[in-house]
Amino acid sequence: MNGSINIEFGKTVAKFRKQIGISQEELAYRCGVHRTYIGALERGEKSPTLNTIEKITAGLGVKMIDLFNS
């Protein structure tokens, strides 16, 4: 696996974050993760756990399925 799923997931997170007009730092605060983690996630450098994905959906105000159907 070349990590392309991480890159696509990160792009989707960034898309939703930008749509609601918040910074990576604000999303990190809403999710209870470190601000640098969101940047690494959006660049596809991190592979989030299901627990982290749940936090991200809460922070973005979307359903989990939305992150995978975009």
Side-chain angles (χ1 to χ4, degrees):
M1 182 185 259
N2 62 9
S4 62
I5 192 166
N6 291 339
I7 293 168
E8 290 304 314
F9 183 80
K11 287 179 182 178
T12 302
V13 170
K15 179 186 84 168
F16 279 108
R17 178 182 59 76
K18 291 173 185 176
Q19 282 178 352
I20 61 173
I22 62 172
S23 66
Q24 290 179 344
E25 188 171 6
E26 174 63 22
L27 179 57
Y29 174 77
R30 291 181 181 193
C31 297
V33 299
H34 196 272
R35 61 181 175 76
T36 59
Y37 182 81
I38 297 297
L41 185 73
E42 288 186 1
R43 291 188 300 275
E45 298 170 357
K46 297 286 184 181
S47 184
T49 65
L50 289 173
N51 290 330
T52 302
I53 293 170
E54 184 176 46
K55 290 177 184 179
I56 291 168
T57 60
L60 292 172
V62 299
K63 296 177 181 174
M64 194 177 292
I65 193 75
D66 295 334
L67 293 179
F68 297 99
N69 281 340
S70 293

